[in-house]
Amino acid sequence: MAGGYGSVHVDKLSQEVALPGSASAIALSFYLHVSTEEPTTGIADRLHVRARDHSGALLSTLGVFSNLDAADGFQLRTFDLTPYRGRTVRISLEAVENSSNVTSFIVDDFSLVI
């Protein structure tokens, strides 16, 4: 999905979804794999997962991941979207890398469970 440049870079990915007002619960989930060559001494690169309204205004930051979240394999990440039922929401992912070492944020298998 994003990253892997090892230089100052921003990657963005977004998708709008209409969330039914009648839903009792709504969850967004996906698998995330973070691979990095950054040292473990601090945060250098980040992936922000955000919910925005149809005009792009920020509703909530659902999660922030960094080079410190690097691990073998994919990790399941789940976020509660129930507060936004009855609305059209843009799910936005933004990966920001600095000018040092490489970090890759790889996402797969998005699902919306209503």
Side-chain angles (χ1 to χ4, degrees), residues 1 11-15 91-94 107 110:
M1 178 260 147
D11 283 316
K12 296 179 182 181
L13 173 71
S14 66
Q15 176 70 50
I91 304 303
S92 167
L93 283 74
E94 182 178 287
V107 295
F110 279 79

Side-chain angles (χ1 to χ4, degrees), residues 72-93:
D72 291 336
F74 284 84
Q75 308 296 315
L76 179 63
R77 305 298 182 176
T78 303
F79 308 95
D80 183 19
L81 297 181
T82 307
Y84 310 112
R85 65 181 156 224
R87 300 175 74 172
T88 296
V89 175
R90 181 181 304 149
I91 304 303
S92 167
L93 283 74

Side-chain angles (χ1 to χ4, degrees), residues 23-70:
S24 59
I26 304 171
L28 168 72
S29 67
F30 61 87
Y31 286 90
L32 172 65
H33 172 64
V34 181
S35 174
T36 190
E37 294 175 4
E38 294 283 0
T40 58
T41 55
I43 294 173
D45 307 312
R46 291 183 173 88
L47 173 69
H48 295 89
V49 181
R50 296 181 173 118
R52 298 182 178 277
D53 69 13
H54 67 281
S55 66
L58 181 64
L59 298 172
S60 174
T61 297
L62 302 171
V64 180
F65 305 96
S66 76
N67 52 287
L68 298 181
D69 293 302

